[in-house]
Amino acid sequence: MNKILEVKNISKRFGNIQALRDVSFDVEKGEFVFIVAHTNAGKSTLLKIIAGILEPDEGEIYIEGENITKTPPWERPVGYMPQTYALFPHMTVLENVMFGPIHRGLDREEAIEKAQKYIELVGLKGWEKAYPHELSGGMQQRVALARVLAVEPKIILLDEPLSALDALLRVKLRGEIKKILKGKTVLWVTHDQEGAMSLADKLIVMRSGRIVAVGNAMELYYKPTSLYVAHFLGEINFIESVAHGGFVQILDTKVSTDKIGPVVIGIRPEDIKIVKNNSSPLGRVKELRFVGGFWRLLVDVEGIDLVVYSLKRIRSKEVSLRIHPEDVLVFDYPPEGIRRAVHLE
Amino acid sequence: MFSMRHWAYITIIFTIALIVVPSLIGVVILLQLAQEITTSQIINALSSVMNSLVVAGLVTIINILVSIPFAWRIARKNDSLSKFLDFILDAPLFVPTAALGFSVLSFWSSGYYSLNLISPGFWLVVLLHFTFTHPYIVRTLIGVIRSTDLSVEVAAKSFGIKRAALSRTIYLPMLKAGIIAGALISFARSISETGATYVVAGPFETGPVFIKNRLSVDPGSAAFAAVSLLLVSIFIFFIIRRISRRRFLPLHPETKIEKMIGLKTAFSINIISLLFFAVMILIPSFYLVAYLSPGATCDWASLTNSLLLSTIIALAVSIIDLFFGIPLAYYLARADSLLRDLVEALVIVPLIVPTVSLGTSLGYFWGSFGLNPVIAIAFAHLSFTFPIFVMSYTAAIESIDPELELVAQSLGADTIKTYREITLQLTKSAIASSAVLVFTRSFGETGATISVAEAMAAEIYTLPLLLVSWIKKAQAGLIPFSTVAIASFITLIIGLLMMAVIKMAGGKRGKYE
Ligand SMILES: Nc1ncnc2c1ncn2[C@@H]1O[C@H](COP(=O)(O)OP(=O)(O)OP(=O)(O)O)[C@@H](O)[C@H]1O
Ligand SMILES: [Mg+2]
């Protein structure tokens, strides 16, 4: 184990708002860790506390085993890139990127050299003399990235680095950033689940200031630990049911379970197969929508509405559906009801 | 390690010890003067306070309306008209307030070729107050506008928001800090001005005029009025501060009216604010010059001495204001605590105390330490200029995104370096504007200076005091008015030149503009 960052029991309150509650997790050397959460979950607050520009009410931060909770931000080996980029408007690209190295003790020549290296790495060679307002959003984002890389921190904290960009650019830059950051230790915060799952070595899901799940992206998607996580990471059908005798039933599929009494069955829309077989249960297609690349159907089967994805266009009014038992998730019925259990605060 | 915070705390102690406490002790001295006063005295005192509030409120609101387009034009259009306006803008502040009152009176009411339009009283007081509050709002706004990042504007335009809606959703919220600070300074100036108001008030009594009239004959009433004025003002300041914390211009789509308001209207708004400046501010302030006649002369030696004295005092005061005011403004702009709100309320106090009572009490206070009268005058000037600097510069820092500072710290710069390389660089022009306000205020102040000199029984002639004494002599027919005119004219020219130097030193625009 080679832990770079350890966050231990961090809590933070702003007046009446409990922004963070008892948050703990680790980041290992070279790991790409994503924190995903809805808006106002406390993501930025957490990064600011790690960067040292906010003080936690409780808890500690360790970097390579050393407690830095009381260390001022300028002495922390941490690179923080804020949600707004916050490029210095009165400085050129080169001056922006040099700022860190100069203040971390390099002399001018070395700082310029280092800055140029990272400006080149992010693909902005030739733009050294430009001012931030002369650059496009995507370019500004790269300058911010170069600026944080140039201090060569032990861990890089990125606060929604892509949120200010349009959708196409976002996908393009997502891949590029991953390439630029290869081998570095990164903690990336976002509310974009898809982006996070495509890049993360480790995924941390937060809800209202609390960590609700930690794990590998695929694991959390297919074997979520709670209704909330299942719902948050992608579209899913929830069906109320009752388990007895070690089984629950969905359509004609029997799934074995150790739960007893009221349960919630979860099944992802892509795991419901449309088949030609007449023996499978028949459903009426209530809605059909093209969502780019595939079709999203709402099918009424025996009084239950199911969302189903299909790669092919469905022309008939009725379809037969089949569900494999291993794709079915079974959760205890939440005492507060399904709606509230998955509610995004 | 020494940080911005330590510096700010030292400043707070300085502020409280040298500025707030002496001013407050002055109020206590006044209170002791108040013997049992009758109901009718109370009613008279309160109605004068009421008059002050009405004048200050009216003047401030109209000022804001005409100042926003005016300041915007000067800050954002880089043509020769802007440069000229920027140069001439503070001119009314160079006319010593007593001379200003006389000049305004001559223009609107009774004087050489005068308009004979408005006789002394409420409306003339309002017109007078425009002249010396207008520069504060415009200066503060210019400082804030120049410190604001242009990219927001560009981004908003690229979303297709048109001009009028742009003002509501983008510009006005960006300028909020500046509008509030400018309004507060203007309000406070109007509430406390004595010297000029006295000249044009006729039978109308504002709070300070009431105090000046009663100070020797009925000190009880005067003290009661002074304290009421102070309390009411602090209360109003507090309310404005509270309200201003909220977002006050809602973000909703462009309205029909806004669609109709096009460039043409904006153009005519510009013309109106320019006309306002020329007719209501500039010409009345300098109407004294109409008395200028060929071959006019004056006592050059006295004039030079006074000019030198006033310059030295104003310079010393400005430097001390900057030195202590910068960290305090930084603290006020960035801290968020009860102590912060308390310090802010305390800093404003000396600005609201009517200058006559401030001067009298500070004269007694510093006199009791046997202080040199010139130094006592400088201290008095510190008390009412310091809040102006602090408020105006605080507004400029508030308009800088704190995230820039936090990122700088995270990149390795401690708080002092962050201030020096980020905040200071982005607010240079605001420091220059604020310094201009402070310098001119000290240079032209009459009411408090006269009171300090009288309280300490000292024969001191700062430039305004010299001009006032010459105006009195001229009114008594002892010397020709042309003497006053030429002295005012020279004061103005020298003042404007000094301002040009200060503004150049501040670097007019940031690199990125
Ligand atoms: N300085 C502050 N003062 C008061 N409340 C704050 C402050 N900073 C954050 N909060 C509150 O704390 C909560 C968490 O905020 P935070 O910015 O960390 O959320 P976030 O997850 O980053 O949200 P977003 O996705 O919108 O960026 C919010 O309710 C926010 O209003
Ligand atoms: Mg955030």
Side-chain angles (χ1 to χ4, degrees):
Chain A
M1 286 276 150
N2 197 348
K3 284 178 188 161
I4 292 280
L5 172 72
E6 289 163 85
V7 172
K8 290 188 177 169
N9 311 101
I10 293 289
S11 294
K12 177 74 184 175
R13 175 179 267 288
F14 295 110
N16 294 330
I17 300 166
Q18 186 74 46
L20 295 173
R21 304 167 208 240
D22 199 21
V23 170
S24 303
F25 64 92
D26 301 336
V27 177
E28 274 159 44
K29 195 175 170 75
E31 226 180 2
F32 227 82
V33 175
F34 268 79
I35 297 185
V36 268
H38 57 84
T39 219
N40 281 346
K43 305 182 294 290
S44 298
T45 306
L46 180 59
L47 286 199
K48 284 178 186 165
I49 286 175
I50 300 172
I53 55 189
L54 263 183
E55 262 178 61
D57 298 337
E58 273 167 60
E60 279 118 40
I61 309 284
Y62 291 80
I63 298 269
E64 288 187 332
E66 189 190 337
N67 187 340
I68 57 151
T69 318
K70 295 269 180 284
T71 310
W74 51 91
E75 287 169 12
R76 294 189 184 201
V78 166
Y80 165 63
M81 177 169 149
Q83 208 162 351
T84 54
Y85 307 158
L87 296 179
F88 306 133
H90 59 301
M91 295 184 187
T92 61
V93 169
L94 182 68
E95 287 165 339
N96 264 282
V97 181
M98 272 171 68
F99 189 90
I102 287 268
H103 288 289
R104 298 273 177 175
L106 264 55
D107 67 34
R108 230 188 120 71
E109 301 301 307
E110 295 169 322
I112 290 180
E113 209 171 291
K114 183 144 289 174
Q116 269 163 345
K117 172 178 156 195
Y118 286 102
I119 290 172
E120 197 171 339
L121 182 69
V122 300
L124 283 180
K125 200 169 159 58
W127 289 90
E128 289 87 348
K129 293 216 167 72
Y131 282 93
H133 74 271
E134 299 163 352
L135 305 178
S136 70
M139 288 160 92
Q140 291 184 9
Q141 194 259 5
R142 289 159 194 250
V143 177
L145 197 59
R147 187 175 62 176
V148 80
L149 285 169
V151 298
E152 302 188 336
K154 296 209 164 110
I155 181 166
I156 296 170
L157 312 174
L158 304 174
D159 194 350
E160 311 219 15
L162 301 172
S163 64
L165 307 174
D166 60 61
L168 258 171
L169 198 57
R170 191 154 32 197
V171 176
K172 179 169 170 272
L173 280 184
R174 198 185 281 149
E176 274 182 37
I177 291 184
K178 172 96 188 188
K179 236 183 273 161
I180 291 169
L181 294 177
K182 203 166 151 67
K184 307 247 172 3
T185 311
V186 176
L187 180 60
W188 179 321
V189 147
T190 180
H191 56 242
D192 165 22
Q193 304 87 329
E194 287 170 39
M197 282 189 291
S198 69
L199 297 183
D201 295 327
K202 183 156 95 189
L203 204 61
I204 298 175
V205 183
M206 275 178 72
R207 180 190 194 189
S208 308
R210 233 192 278 271
I211 291 185
V212 292
V214 181
N216 159 300
M218 221 152 46
E219 210 175 274
L220 285 183
Y221 185 80
Y222 287 112
K223 293 276 170 265
T225 44
S226 66
L227 283 176
Y228 181 80
V229 175
H231 174 78
F232 185 72
L233 292 183
E235 188 164 33
I236 188 164
N237 294 292
F238 287 134
I239 303 113
E240 294 177 27
S241 183
V242 180
H244 46 77
F247 287 99
V248 284
Q249 185 163 349
I250 165 91
L251 307 187
D252 61 345
T253 306
K254 273 195 164 185
V255 184
S256 66
T257 174
D258 48 9
K259 299 190 189 336
I260 297 168
V263 293
V264 179
I265 292 169
I267 176 87
R268 299 244 177 236
E270 67 272 25
D271 290 334
I272 304 179
K273 307 278 181 316
I274 296 172
V275 289
K276 293 246 159 63
N277 183 343
N278 284 343
S279 68
S280 292
L282 208 58
R284 188 170 58 84
V285 179
K286 287 167 77 174
E287 260 179 52
L288 180 65
R289 205 146 40 92
F290 184 63
V291 279
F294 62 92
W295 294 82
R296 184 182 181 280
L297 287 72
L298 187 63
V299 184
D300 175 1
V301 210
E302 296 158 8
I304 301 170
D305 282 349
L306 291 176
V307 176
V308 181
Y309 295 163
S310 162
L311 282 176
K312 282 188 296 183
R313 180 165 194 174
I314 302 298
R315 289 174 197 277
S316 55
K317 288 255 168 356
E318 292 192 324
V319 288
S320 302
L321 300 179
R322 185 187 298 148
I323 292 172
H324 284 291
E326 58 269 30
D327 292 332
V328 174
L329 302 166
V330 184
F331 303 93
D332 287 319
Y333 192 87
E336 70 270 34
I338 296 178
R339 225 170 213 286
R340 303 207 42 199
V342 303
H343 181 68
L344 300 177
E345 258 83 358
Chain B
M1 201 177 46
F2 196 70
S3 72
M4 279 308 274
R5 192 177 301 186
H6 295 125
W7 194 7
Y9 287 150
I10 293 173
T11 312
I12 292 174
I13 294 168
F14 158 85
T15 310
I16 291 178
L18 288 185
I19 291 177
V20 178
V21 169
S23 313
L24 282 178
I25 287 180
V27 175
V28 173
I29 294 175
L30 282 176
L31 264 183
Q32 281 171 344
L33 290 176
Q35 290 111 7
E36 318 88 63
I37 49 173
T38 63
T39 323
S40 74
Q41 280 173 309
I42 291 181
I43 290 173
N44 284 337
L46 286 182
S47 76
S48 75
V49 170
M50 196 61 212
N51 288 342
S52 279
L53 292 178
V54 172
V55 170
L58 189 66
V59 165
T60 303
I61 289 170
I62 296 180
N63 251 334
I64 290 177
L65 293 180
V66 296
S67 297
I68 294 173
F70 193 61
W72 191 267
R73 188 190 194 295
I74 296 176
R76 279 293 154 84
K77 269 231 174 93
N78 202 6
D79 57 7
S80 43
L81 180 60
S82 282
K83 284 192 185 120
F84 173 71
L85 291 173
D86 194 14
F87 178 69
I88 199 91
L89 175 62
D90 317 291
L93 300 181
F94 286 107
V95 187
T97 44
L100 185 70
F102 181 70
S103 187
V104 170
L105 182 76
S106 307
F107 177 72
W108 292 109
S109 186
S110 57
Y112 214 58
Y113 301 125
S114 136
L115 292 173
N116 269 322
L117 269 180
I118 296 155
S119 46
F122 174 76
W123 287 109
L124 199 57
V125 170
V126 170
L127 288 173
L128 166 75
H129 282 216
F130 278 134
T131 59
F132 60 78
T133 54
H134 181 267
Y136 290 102
I137 295 193
V138 178
R139 260 291 153 240
T140 309
L141 279 176
I142 289 179
V144 172
I145 294 170
R146 288 204 178 132
S147 311
T148 315
D149 189 356
L150 267 171
S151 56
V152 184
E153 216 180 297
V154 176
K157 271 184 194 148
S158 70
F159 284 128
I161 302 180
K162 282 205 214 73
R163 187 161 176 140
L166 202 60
S167 308
R168 173 170 51 77
T169 53
I170 309 292
Y171 298 151
L172 288 182
M174 280 194 319
L175 298 186
K176 184 168 118 174
I179 294 174
I180 301 286
L184 288 180
I185 297 175
S186 146
F187 189 84
R189 264 308 275 144
S190 170
I191 276 269
S192 63
E193 209 287 331
T194 325
T197 313
Y198 183 72
V199 177
V200 305
F204 182 70
E205 273 186 327
T206 62
V209 170
F210 179 90
I211 295 165
K212 186 175 159 69
N213 286 338
R214 310 293 144 93
L215 204 54
S216 50
V217 291
D218 180 8
S221 292
F224 184 79
V227 175
S228 325
L229 197 60
L230 186 66
L231 294 181
V232 172
S233 315
I234 291 179
F235 178 71
I236 290 177
F237 269 57
F238 190 74
I239 300 279
I240 293 182
R241 261 292 165 206
R242 284 272 113 180
I243 295 173
S244 67
R245 290 251 161 97
R246 289 189 225 129
R247 181 210 221 106
F248 69 132
L249 295 151
L251 274 166
H252 58 72
E254 198 168 30
T255 61
K256 268 192 191 144
I257 298 178
E258 283 168 346
K259 277 192 183 134
M260 278 158 50
I261 304 181
L263 282 171
K264 242 182 212 161
T265 334
F267 181 71
S268 53
I269 289 174
N270 265 337
I271 298 281
I272 290 171
S273 63
L274 275 173
L275 273 178
F276 183 89
F277 176 66
V279 177
M280 310 291 271
I281 315 269
L282 211 53
I283 299 176
S285 302
F286 293 104
Y287 196 67
L288 262 188
V289 176
Y291 292 90
L292 209 54
S293 58
T297 181
C298 70
D299 176 355
W300 297 110
S302 308
L303 186 65
T304 318
N305 280 341
S306 294
L307 204 87
L308 218 58
L309 179 63
S310 281
T311 308
I312 290 171
I313 292 179
L315 214 58
V317 164
S318 309
I319 290 171
I320 299 176
D321 278 338
L322 243 70
F323 187 77
F324 289 101
I326 286 176
L328 188 65
Y330 186 82
Y331 169 78
L332 289 177
R334 292 295 182 235
D336 183 20
S337 64
L338 200 64
L339 178 68
R340 179 218 171 273
D341 291 353
L342 199 72
V343 171
E344 185 183 41
L346 285 177
V347 168
I348 293 170
V349 169
L351 194 61
I352 315 170
V353 183
T355 46
V356 256
S357 41
L358 184 74
T360 310
S361 56
L362 286 181
Y364 286 137
F365 180 82
W366 293 118
S368 66
F369 291 99
L371 206 64
N372 175 309
V374 173
I375 297 182
I377 287 176
F379 269 124
H381 286 204
L382 266 184
S383 352
F384 53 73
T385 56
F386 191 68
I388 294 177
F389 179 82
V390 170
M391 288 170 71
S392 151
Y393 187 47
T394 302
I397 299 181
E398 276 174 350
S399 64
I400 303 286
D401 182 3
E403 199 104 287
L404 293 176
E405 291 164 6
L406 298 179
V407 167
Q409 290 177 16
S410 158
L411 288 171
D414 62 25
T415 49
I416 302 236
K417 286 180 191 144
T418 298
Y419 174 77
R420 202 183 56 212
E421 288 175 32
I422 308 296
T423 325
L424 174 65
Q425 301 306 321
L426 293 172
T427 52
K428 260 188 188 162
S429 56
I431 291 191
S433 326
S434 311
V436 167
L437 290 181
V438 164
F439 187 94
T440 49
R441 179 76 184 102
S442 166
F443 198 76
E445 208 283 338
T446 324
T449 315
I450 257 186
S451 317
V452 173
E454 277 172 4
M456 298 180 89
E459 279 273 329
I460 287 176
Y461 287 103
T462 60
L463 197 60
L465 299 202
L466 184 73
L467 287 182
V468 169
S469 78
W470 284 2
I471 289 177
K472 281 191 182 140
K473 279 188 193 158
Q475 282 171 318
L478 297 176
I479 54 171
F481 270 112
S482 61
T483 304
V484 182
I486 190 140
S488 308
F489 190 65
I490 288 170
T491 307
L492 170 71
I493 299 297
I494 291 178
L496 286 179
L497 287 178
M498 287 190 291
M499 283 314 89
V501 172
I502 295 186
K503 282 179 213 161
M504 260 164 9
K508 239 166 121 182
R509 276 144 199 267
K511 269 195 216 161
Y512 64 102
E513 282 172 296

